[in-house]
Structures are given as C-alpha cells and as structure tokens.
Amino acid sequence: MKKVLVISGHPNLSQSIANQTIIDSLTSGLNSVEIRRLDTLYPTEQIDVTAEQQALLNADVIVWQFPFHWYSMPALMKKWLDEVFLHGFAHGSTAKLGGKKLVISITTGAPEVAYQEDAVMKHTMAQLVAPFESIAALCQLDLQNISYLNGVSYVGRNEEKIAEQKQTARKYAEQLIQTINELIGEK
C-alpha cells in the first residue's frame, strides 16, 4: 500500500476553519496517511530534521497543506523547508526525494477574483505559486497538482459564514482526496 504524508503548515491549526476541516477530512478519508502538524510538533520551532527526512523517505505521495501567507508558505513551514530540504537529501547529486509525487494545497483569505493581473493582488495564483514549481523541479519531485481554496478569510466570520466555510472546505477536501487516491491507485 502506498503511503501518503501530509505536512500541515498552518501556524495554529486549532484556530483555522478551512485548514482544520481539510486536515480532518484527509485524516478520515485516506488510508495509510500520516499527518505531520508542524504547529504541534514544533511549538518552539526546533525542527527534528532526521524525523522529518525519514517521514519524507517513507512516503510515496507528499502533500503540503497550508494557508497562503504573504504570497508564500507560513514562517514555520518555510523554516521546515529550509532545514529539511537540504542539499544532498532533497536536491543535488545524492538527492533522495526524486520521483516522489507532490501535491500542494493552499488556502487563501482573499477571494479568487482578487488574484488577477488587473485586481488587487496584481498576479494570478498560477503566477504566485511558480516558486513551488521550481522547488519541485529542483528536488525532482513529481509535482502533480497545485490547488487552492480561495476566500476563507477570518474577516466577517459569524456562525453562518463559519458553516459555509466548513462546507466549502469539505467539498474541496473531497476533490483533494480523489486526486490523492488516484495517485496511490485507490478509488
């Protein structure tokens, strides 16, 4: 059975609606999945590089799940990437991750219409996530998908808005699970 590793990069998952719902859905909806919540594993930001590298080596499919923070991944996840994806392990002539499948799943507070060249963000999501494509290429990871769930802002949340965001996140997670199951040969 192929193994799925999910790296949850939300800095405080317990305060999230969308990311928490997605992680919960992945936990219950996938077989042979390991969820590594960086916020609970590393509250002092002291990354166990050996443990993280071993988890990556054990995986067939790697999923990065995180909110878009200032057009990138959150600080703890970036620190994780900096410390774990070392030359000789993740890239270079002795790299060990080549060929593993990578799925990137991002949530944004702003709605999809904000991510257009003529809108407030001045760039499309496809343009803004280009650095992740470069990371995958450098590490010879087989990038399968970059998907995003837009419009899950904390602003203006009331009970109705929270229920709506949970429902939207569950639907999004169902599609993500389908993508992952196709990659591991399950339906």
Side-chain angles (χ1 to χ4, degrees):
M1 179 176 289
K2 293 188 177 181
K3 295 179 183 173
V4 178
L5 173 67
V6 177
I7 304 298
S8 169
H10 196 289
N12 190 346
L13 194 61
S14 63
Q15 292 183 350
S16 170
I17 300 298
N19 279 271
Q20 180 70 60
T21 301
I22 293 166
I23 292 296
D24 289 347
S25 296
L26 294 176
T27 301
S28 63
L30 291 171
N31 296 319
S32 191
V33 63
E34 178 183 1
I35 309 283
R36 296 192 64 81
R37 282 187 53 180
L38 300 182
D39 65 327
T40 57
L41 287 170
Y42 306 114
T44 63
E45 299 186 8
Q46 300 303 306
I47 308 292
D48 183 341
V49 173
T50 302
E52 295 304 314
Q53 288 180 342
Q54 191 58 55
L56 289 162
L57 291 173
N58 292 341
D60 298 296
V61 177
I62 301 163
V63 180
W64 291 351
Q65 175 62 52
F66 60 93
F68 215 37
H69 278 205
W70 290 107
Y71 313 103
S72 188
M73 55 182 58
L76 180 58
M77 190 167 187
K78 178 62 168 75
K79 182 175 180 17
W80 173 86
L81 185 70
D82 289 344
E83 293 185 11
V84 174
F85 275 58
L86 299 174
H87 183 270
F89 173 75
H91 58 95
S93 62
T94 59
K96 297 169 178 61
L97 298 180
K100 292 183 183 286
K101 296 186 183 317
L102 176 64
V103 174
I104 300 175
S105 173
I106 302 168
T107 60
T108 73
E112 184 177 7
V113 297
Y115 293 98
Q116 305 299 322
E117 290 178 351
D118 61 349
V120 67
M121 302 302 178
K122 301 295 181 197
H123 298 281
T124 65
M125 282 298 294
Q127 292 167 328
L128 292 169
V129 300
F132 302 126
E133 295 171 355
S134 296
I135 291 168
L138 177 67
C139 298
Q140 298 180 6
L141 290 163
D142 186 3
L143 181 59
Q144 297 294 303
N145 191 27
I146 299 179
S147 59
Y148 9 91
L149 174 59
N150 301 108
V152 290
S153 175
Y154 291 93
V155 177
R157 277 194 186 155
N158 55 30
E159 285 185 36
E160 183 180 326
K161 186 72 169 175
I162 289 170
E164 179 184 308
Q165 286 183 355
K166 283 182 180 180
Q167 178 65 17
T168 301
R170 278 192 288 274
K171 285 182 181 179
Y172 173 87
E174 287 173 13
Q175 294 172 336
L176 188 57
I177 289 167
Q178 181 178 348
T179 297
I180 295 166
N181 278 333
E182 288 171 5
L183 292 174
I184 60 175
E186 293 187 16
K187 304 247 169 163

